[in-house]
Amino acid sequence: PVPLLLMLCGTKDRRFEMMRCHEPVERIFDLVQVEPLTESETEKFFLKSFASTQINVDLDALNVMAQRSAGFPRIMHLIGDAAYWHDNDGCISKADALDAVILAAEELGRKFVDNQVYQSLQSRDYHSILQKIGQLSLNSTTFRREKIVEGLNESERGKFDNFIIRMKKLNIVRQGVARGEYEFIMPMVSLYIWLKSTANKSD
């Protein structure tokens, strides 16, 4: 028998924390990066899951759910579960899928974004920057530095670069393709931030 130990680690920060606590971890373990599912694999997951419950899925609905989940299994389950309970005619339409995405984003936000992002970013200016990014991110998972900065006040502009550094460390955004562009790693996070920012704006 070959002794085998699998250690699941959600983020780089947790892996580094384990190495700080026990240095041989870095030497003993081979790092295996588990990538998100492809869009095709994500669509197959939804089709197979709903077929098992005799529910049909429209092509437009399938596209919405696949794009918004971005291949992350946890988010796929959140969206699928919300769509299943929201459906009332045995067929997931685009409208059903959009409602499911909103419900899933709210659940993800309460469990992850509120605790991991909003509570970590204690600065009032950071929260204000996040709200202004959220107001632009409904249909886009990217934002440009110049576009955001032009809407910030002087205090917020001075903190924007540190804000981005914090967001990267929290694994919320990463560098985009173009210079000065940033991309949300999980599209559902940007959707929740938009929901929260629009709610705050209406208040």
Side-chain angles (χ1 to χ4, degrees), residues 11-39:
T11 67
K12 291 180 181 179
D13 288 345
R14 298 289 79 78
R15 179 162 57 90
F16 292 147
E17 186 177 337
M18 287 190 293
M19 288 188 292
R20 284 194 298 271
C21 293
H22 189 63
E23 196 172 311
V25 166
E26 184 176 16
R27 174 175 50 81
I28 295 171
F29 288 93
D30 291 326
L31 180 64
V32 178
Q33 187 76 25
V34 180
E35 299 295 336
L37 277 67
T38 65
E39 190 166 329

Side-chain angles (χ1 to χ4, degrees), residues 26-191:
E26 184 176 16
R27 174 175 50 81
I28 295 171
F29 288 93
D30 291 326
L31 180 64
V32 178
Q33 187 76 25
V34 180
E35 299 295 336
L37 277 67
T38 65
E39 190 166 329
S40 175
E41 290 170 334
T42 304
E43 290 177 351
K44 287 178 182 177
F45 164 82
F46 283 120
L47 288 173
K48 185 176 180 180
S49 298
F50 285 114
S52 68
T53 58
Q54 288 77 52
I55 294 178
N56 296 318
V57 184
D58 288 348
L59 181 59
D60 288 342
L62 189 63
N63 290 337
V64 168
M65 292 188 292
Q67 289 172 5
R68 278 296 178 176
S69 58
F72 290 96
R74 174 59 178 157
I75 297 178
M76 290 159 59
H77 281 280
L78 284 175
I79 293 176
D81 188 62
Y84 174 82
W85 291 108
H86 183 72
D87 175 62
N88 57 16
D89 61 2
C91 181
I92 306 296
S93 65
K94 184 177 181 180
D96 292 330
L98 290 171
D99 288 342
V101 164
I102 296 294
L103 292 170
E106 290 174 338
E107 183 174 353
L108 175 73
R110 287 192 299 269
K111 292 180 177 179
F112 172 68
V113 184
D114 282 344
N115 292 331
Q116 299 299 319
V117 180
Y118 283 96
Q119 288 186 19
S120 295
L121 302 176
Q122 294 293 333
S123 164
R124 181 177 295 180
D125 283 340
Y126 282 176
H127 282 199
S128 178
I129 293 170
L130 199 57
Q131 179 171 339
K132 289 169 182 175
I133 291 173
Q135 291 167 5
L136 300 174
S137 64
L138 172 59
N139 296 313
S140 175
T141 57
T142 64
F143 60 92
R144 297 186 65 85
R145 185 185 191 282
E146 60 184 27
K147 182 68 175 177
I148 300 300
V149 168
E150 69 183 19
L152 304 180
N153 62 38
E154 185 176 351
S155 176
E156 292 164 354
R157 280 195 294 271
K159 296 179 180 178
F160 182 79
D161 290 333
N162 285 335
F163 166 84
I164 291 295
I165 291 172
R166 292 287 301 277
M167 292 286 278
K168 286 180 177 179
K169 287 182 177 179
L170 290 169
N171 291 306
I172 301 302
V173 301
R174 59 190 169 204
Q175 189 70 44
V177 177
R179 181 179 176 83
E181 180 183 68
Y182 301 96
E183 176 184 15
F184 282 97
I185 294 174
M186 290 191 293
M188 291 288 280
V189 171
S190 68
L191 176 58

